[in-house]
Amino acid sequence: MPLRVPPAPAPALRSVLTALSSPTAVREARTPALLGAQGPATPELPLPVHVLDRVTPEGAAATRLAGWRFHIRLGDRAVAAAETMLTPDGWAFSHFFEGPYVASTERALRQAESVPQSYQPRLLSVPELYMLTLWLHGDCTADAAAGHPAATDLLVPLAPAPPGIAAHRPHRVAELLPVLTHRLTPTRLLGSPA
């Protein structure tokens, strides 16, 4: 089934288009792929970026929308990404970047296209584990800026994934959250008071 990519807020897209047309923004990005670009670079595939702030012992996750990420395509491939953030004045361009998460996101999205169920793709960041996942949300009509991972949603860890968590292997939220809970819960030191 095809993925149902949510539309990005128009001001977020405009801020990326403005940054792409700015030689200063591209030069300051220090992304070799954009600096040496031959031909037009286009922002595609907007994905909301949610941050997992905490996982409770019950497994319920608290998330918040942190921005929108656009893949920057030159010709037939994504060579970089642009991220936007919400400011008091609205959506604004944050930065360009390249690296393993760009290709890993593309790979995970191609894999997700072959899943029989339709999903709304999102990104879910777990900063405490230096982990980024493709979040396949089962409610394709949901507001992409809101919501929490449902137990039946899929999370696909992107490469590089933390040790012991396989990249590009889809997990139901109900299966992966307990693993993350265990990793995020500080262990008590021997001899420390209970």
Side-chain angles (χ1 to χ4, degrees):
M1 285 286 202
L3 296 175
R4 306 280 171 86
V5 178
L13 176 58
R14 277 195 304 273
S15 72
V16 171
L17 290 169
T18 300
L20 278 171
S21 66
S22 165
T24 304
V26 171
R27 188 174 51 251
E28 288 178 359
R30 294 184 176 87
T31 53
L34 288 178
L35 286 171
Q38 300 295 318
T42 56
E44 295 181 350
L45 198 65
L47 295 174
V49 180
H50 293 259
V51 175
L52 182 67
D53 283 327
R54 74 178 182 278
V55 180
T56 68
E58 298 79 36
T63 62
R64 63 181 164 80
L65 180 67
W68 282 81
R69 182 172 295 173
F70 297 79
H71 279 202
I72 305 300
R73 190 163 299 280
L74 286 171
D76 63 346
R77 66 188 190 98
V79 296
E83 196 140 315
T84 63
M85 62 182 179
L86 190 57
T87 69
D89 295 325
W91 289 101
F93 170 76
S94 175
H95 61 281
F96 290 115
F97 66 94
E98 56 188 55
Y101 285 133
V102 175
S104 187
T105 303
E106 292 260 305
R107 177 181 169 188
L109 287 165
R110 281 192 306 274
Q111 288 176 309
E113 287 284 346
S114 66
V115 174
Q117 182 180 340
S118 291
Y119 287 100
Q120 182 188 82
R122 304 171 174 197
L123 293 171
L124 182 65
S125 172
V126 187
E128 292 179 51
L129 295 177
Y130 301 100
M131 179 179 180
L132 184 65
T133 69
L134 176 63
W135 169 13
L136 298 173
H137 190 52
D139 182 358
C140 295
T141 61
D143 177 1
H148 302 290
T152 56
D153 287 353
L154 295 177
L155 296 177
V156 182
L158 301 179
I165 297 176
H168 297 287
R169 183 177 171 269
H171 301 269
R172 294 257 176 234
V173 167
E175 298 165 357
L176 189 58
L177 276 186
V179 174
L180 299 181
T181 302
H182 178 70
R183 290 192 173 205
L184 293 173
T185 303
T187 56
R188 287 199 323 246
L189 296 174
L190 290 176
S192 63

